Amino acid sequence: MIDFSKYPAEPFRIKSVEPVAMISREERLKVAQEAGYNTFLINSKDVYIDLLTDSGTNAMSDRQWGGMMIGDEAYAGSRNFHHLEEVVRKHFGFKHLVPTHQGRGAENLLSQIAIKPGQYVPGNMYFTTTRYHQERNGGIFVDIIRDEAHDATLDIPFKGNIDLAKLQKLIDEKGAENIAYVCLAVTVNLAGGQPVAMENMRAVRELTQKHGIKVFYDATRCVENAYFIKEQEAGYADKTISEIVHEMFSYADGCTMSGKKDCLVNIGGFLCMNDEELFQNAKELVVVYEGMPSYGGLAGRDMEAMAIGLEESMQYEYIRHRVLQVRYLGDRLKAAGVPIIEPVGGHAVFLDARRFCPHLTQEQFPAQSLAANLYIESGVRSMERGIVSAGRDINTGENHKPKLETVRLTIPRRVYTYKHMDVVADAVIDLYKNKEQIKGLRFVYEPKQLRFFTARFEEI
């Protein structure tokens, strides 16, 4: 039985609305077929509830919209850049900031300036664009997340932690000089939005310092991670979210950040660091790919909205509601026996496609088909996070076969209400009762890179 009293009301009032409409099942089936059963290729006008991603799909506040009106669009030295720099230094503590158009722009810069061909980049589970940039620049990704993160049924805290023994083993076998840096994600997206404990971050820092290895965070959902620390780790219950975030980053040498998540905006990102030489290299390279070091592919108004959004994300009532709204959806599905990744993370509920579709093999792309069928039956758009997203080994050409084969129901920030979560839950539960109707898929078009974005499929 769900205890509804533990879920807080939305900590905001709604000032503006965007109408949505549900098209018929027959129309949705046609749309899905024309999109090659890839939810990324469905037009948003044909979607009822859009849970494709939480990246750039946030609702901005009145203060952020007001900030957009005072954008300083100077080509160099915008006052909005200096405001963003001030806010990031206040909460993150890093000396230097290079703005980028979004998080993968920061990943591109970091991978080029920090990786020498043949070096290893250990991390707590891969992320698609992150690993692509690392491998494109000659890096070799090594997964050093704790083993428990690959078990969807295991409900324990801080499944995103780095396994220190795995990291030490890599250092011993390959040599510290052959490790570019440790990439530590807070939270770990593909593990189900799982957080990393402060104790683990501190231990990773202590280990890497002994060997002169840098640590860079994927800080995309750092505020969500801070909430889990406050909620679940001893000694942090009375700390503010900002204090926890600041301590988290004190154990890193820098970070990449997609502002499209915890900065509560629709576009933007940045790269942070303390090292002077890396900063100079990043400033030289950002001009090639993004723009001047004081705007990095962003308008001044975008940087202003990002600075205000980062401040707003540190408010406890906001982040508490955000995480618990996701947990509400997870609890509804668990109560109905729907298999999901446990525990529920900070930004999404992940359906366990292996257990949802036991009649399909992984090579039949069960998560891809599950996402397509959820759209067909309900108008709810989600996304695959399994063998299709994992891609192919760059050396052998064989499919990577992750242990987790999931469909991600990703909740945009400040966009949907609990009633929307009920609609989603009912749709998933109904589909689960009729899961045998879900057929396997095969490729009809497979891109060479990041195939999940544009691949097309047909039913087997």
Side-chain angles (χ1 to χ4, degrees):
M1 195 71 180
I2 301 174
D3 178 11
F4 291 96
S5 65
K6 67 182 180 181
Y7 296 105
E10 286 76 10
F12 50 81
R13 289 192 295 265
I14 297 170
K15 282 188 175 182
S16 180
V17 297
E18 175 187 358
V20 294
M22 172 84 86
I23 61 176
S24 69
R25 186 190 185 282
E26 291 73 20
E27 291 173 298
R28 296 196 301 272
L29 176 59
K30 183 180 179 182
V31 166
Q33 291 171 337
E34 291 176 349
Y37 295 93
N38 187 344
T39 53
F40 276 95
L41 302 181
I42 296 173
N43 292 327
S44 65
K45 67 180 180 62
D46 296 322
V47 175
Y48 180 48
I49 296 178
D50 202 345
L51 307 185
L52 183 73
T53 181
D54 63 329
S55 179
T57 56
N58 311 293
M60 294 203 302
S61 70
D62 53 356
R63 291 183 62 246
Q64 286 178 289
W65 282 111
M68 296 279 280
M69 300 306 296
I70 56 170
D72 176 6
E73 307 307 338
Y75 191 79
S78 164
R79 63 175 174 269
N80 308 121
F81 164 74
H82 293 297
H83 183 202
L84 176 61
E85 184 181 52
E86 174 189 349
V87 171
V88 172
R89 282 178 176 169
K90 170 186 171 184
H91 294 293
F92 289 13
F94 296 118
K95 294 179 182 178
H96 305 300
L97 176 142
V98 179
T100 58
H101 75 284
Q102 61 183 66
R104 71 193 60 173
E107 292 172 349
N108 178 38
L109 296 180
L110 178 62
S111 298
Q112 290 199 49
I113 65 178
I115 299 174
K116 297 175 183 177
Q119 284 188 318
Y120 294 86
V121 188
N124 52 342
M125 199 173 284
Y126 82 98
F127 185 68
T128 50
T129 59
T130 313
R131 187 176 69 185
Y132 172 77
H133 285 298
Q134 291 167 354
E135 293 180 344
R136 184 173 181 270
N137 288 281
I140 303 167
F141 170 76
V142 180
D143 188 359
I144 56 169
I145 201 168
R146 62 190 299 188
D147 290 339
E148 294 88 344
H150 297 284
D151 185 344
T153 66
L154 194 59
D155 188 350
I156 61 172
F158 301 112
K159 285 172 76 173
N161 282 358
I162 280 179
D163 186 320
L164 297 173
K166 290 182 181 179
L167 177 55
Q168 184 64 65
K169 183 173 183 286
L170 183 68
I171 295 171
D172 294 340
E173 291 180 353
K174 306 300 182 182
E177 70 279 6
N178 293 315
I179 296 177
Y181 57 89
V182 172
C183 182
L184 195 160
V186 285
T187 58
V188 183
N189 189 345
L190 296 188
Q194 304 299 330
V196 180
M198 191 76 80
E199 179 184 28
N200 188 248
M201 294 182 220
R202 193 179 304 117
V204 170
R205 174 49 124 189
E206 291 172 357
L207 177 55
T208 53
Q209 272 190 328
K210 293 178 183 177
H211 299 277
I213 299 170
K214 286 184 167 56
V215 179
F216 281 88
Y217 288 3
D218 176 346
T220 296
R221 298 178 179 88
C222 60
V223 180
E224 293 173 10
N225 201 101
Y227 177 84
F228 285 110
I229 290 174
K230 181 178 178 68
E231 180 187 60
Q232 300 176 17
E233 192 164 358
Y236 289 93
D238 296 327
K239 299 280 188 180
T240 67
I241 296 297
S242 179
E243 288 171 338
I244 295 171
V245 168
H246 199 278
E247 183 181 346
M248 285 167 55
F249 288 116
S250 72
Y251 305 125
D253 295 285
C255 73
T256 58
M257 182 74 174
S258 171
K260 297 165 69 175
K261 284 84 168 177
D262 274 353
C263 289
L264 303 175
V265 288
N266 307 124
I267 197 68
F270 50 81
L271 172 64
C272 289
M273 66 201 70
N274 290 322
D275 185 276
E276 294 290 341
E277 183 178 353
L278 283 178
F279 177 53
Q280 292 302 322
N281 292 340
K283 284 202 300 181
E284 292 176 13
L285 205 57
V286 75
V287 177
V288 177
Y289 291 102
E290 306 276 341
M292 280 288 289
S294 60
Y295 75 86
L298 295 172
R301 56 182 174 269
D302 298 322
M303 292 187 285
E304 187 66 24
M306 192 153 55
I308 295 170
L310 184 56
E311 290 276 24
E312 290 181 351
S313 73
M314 299 290 167
Q315 297 168 2
Y316 175 71
E317 289 306 320
Y318 152 74
I319 191 59
R320 176 173 177 259
H321 170 268
R322 193 280 187 286
V323 173
L324 293 188
Q325 185 185 50
V326 176
R327 194 174 295 170
Y328 172 83
L329 174 58
D331 281 352
R332 277 224 50 202
L333 295 178
K334 283 196 297 182
V338 176
I340 65 174
I341 289 185
E342 298 185 53
V344 175
H347 70 294
V349 176
F350 287 69
L351 305 179
D352 185 351
R354 287 183 185 275
R355 290 183 290 153
F356 202 112
C357 303
H359 58 291
L360 299 179
T361 68
Q362 191 171 27
E363 293 284 358
Q364 292 174 319
F365 310 143
Q368 188 73 41
S369 187
L370 174 52
N373 277 271
L374 178 61
Y375 168 75
I376 293 168
E377 297 303 326
S378 67
V380 174
R381 177 159 64 169
S382 57
M383 71 172 296
E384 183 269 1
R385 277 301 186 218
I387 190 172
V388 176
S389 291
R392 295 184 182 273
D393 186 290
I394 60 173
N395 296 313
T396 68
E398 295 295 318
N399 281 317
H400 290 294
K401 295 181 179 179
K403 293 181 180 179
L404 294 177
E405 182 75 20
T406 67
V407 169
R408 193 180 75 180
L409 306 171
T410 333
I411 315 303
R413 295 162 183 81
R414 304 191 295 201
V415 172
Y416 293 118
T417 66
Y418 286 110
K419 184 59 180 176
H420 288 106
M421 297 302 100
D422 286 332
V423 171
V424 174
D426 291 341
V428 174
I429 292 166
D430 286 344
L431 184 58
Y432 185 58
K433 292 176 182 176
N434 300 282
K435 56 184 177 292
E436 292 79 11
Q437 75 183 34
I438 300 172
K439 299 177 182 178
L441 299 175
R442 59 178 164 236
F443 281 115
V444 294
Y445 166 64
E446 180 184 358
K448 292 181 179 179
Q449 287 91 27
L450 299 173
R451 63 190 185 181
F452 63 94
F453 282 126
T454 57
R456 303 181 73 85
F457 306 85
E458 65 182 5
E459 288 187 334
I460 296 173

